[in-house]
Amino acid sequence: MKVKVVIVGYGDRGSIYANYAAKYPEELEIVAVVDPDLFRLGMAKEKFNLDKSQCLTSFDELLSRGKIADCAVVATMDQLHYEQAKALLYQNYHLLLEKPVVNNSEKLEELRKIATERNLIMMVGHVLRYTPFYGSIKRDILAGKVGEIIHIETSELV
């Protein structure tokens, strides 16, 4: 069964998730992309052969259409995740949320409760742990090339 998805936020992470549809079109179909950046929308339009009506500059425009896909990927700015996730859950979308979902436990519990009550899947993407550079570092550590690890700190300058 082919899954239909909406990509909300076609920046670095959203475009990476969307690439799965390009690699496995028999499994995943992008039915809409939402991003305020017209350049990014143009890239998505061309890559996934979307028509103009599938390229939205406003999240509210997506919501006004009702449920148009099985699931949504939310890969927007962190401060938008809560409201967008909540609205999409109320439209019965299964969700893949880019981390962080929210910045406090009360909002996280609220989203979990909505998803549970509606029997929806809500997943969180931790994509950096699977990137080649982390894999390379892990292999070197496990092979004993680095020495004794005392402390590791990483930073994403997003």
Side-chain angles (χ1 to χ4, degrees):
M1 178 180 97
K2 185 185 289 194
V3 175
K4 294 184 178 184
V5 65
V6 172
I7 305 294
V8 182
Y10 193 72
D12 187 44
R13 300 287 163 75
S15 64
I16 289 170
Y17 291 123
N19 283 338
Y20 190 90
K23 191 170 183 178
Y24 302 101
E26 69 283 356
E27 295 180 16
L28 188 66
E29 176 185 355
I30 296 175
V31 298
V33 175
V34 182
D35 198 292
D37 186 303
L38 294 176
F39 179 76
R40 289 182 190 159
L41 282 179
M43 291 185 339
K45 182 179 186 296
E46 183 177 317
K47 183 167 189 166
F48 301 104
N49 198 29
L50 303 174
D51 64 49
K52 187 176 179 179
S53 69
Q54 294 173 289
C55 299
L56 314 175
T57 57
S58 158
F59 182 74
D60 289 337
E61 185 179 357
L62 172 66
L63 293 180
S64 73
R65 294 184 181 192
K67 186 177 180 186
I68 62 171
D70 303 306
C71 59
V73 171
V74 177
T76 54
M77 302 295 288
D78 295 353
Q79 65 270 24
L80 301 175
H81 291 183
Y82 169 73
E83 291 297 334
Q84 290 175 339
K86 185 175 175 181
L88 290 164
L89 287 170
Y90 277 127
Q91 286 196 338
N92 293 315
Y93 281 90
H94 297 286
L95 296 180
L96 171 58
L97 297 163
E98 182 55 40
K99 65 167 180 61
V101 175
V102 293
N103 64 0
N104 71 62
S105 60
E106 292 83 17
K107 288 181 178 179
L108 183 62
E109 178 58 29
E110 180 184 2
L111 293 177
R112 187 205 59 79
K113 183 179 176 188
I114 296 166
T116 300
E117 288 172 352
R118 293 173 168 266
N119 199 31
L120 296 167
I121 297 167
M122 185 172 69
M123 302 179 293
V124 181
H126 292 272
V127 296
L128 277 182
R129 71 176 57 188
Y130 301 108
T131 57
F133 60 85
Y134 278 128
S136 177
I137 292 168
K138 182 177 180 182
R139 281 188 300 280
D140 287 349
I141 290 170
L142 293 175
K145 294 180 181 178
V146 177
E148 181 183 2
I149 304 297
I150 297 170
H151 177 81
I152 295 176
E153 181 175 334
T154 63
S155 180
E156 294 178 52
L157 304 175
V158 179

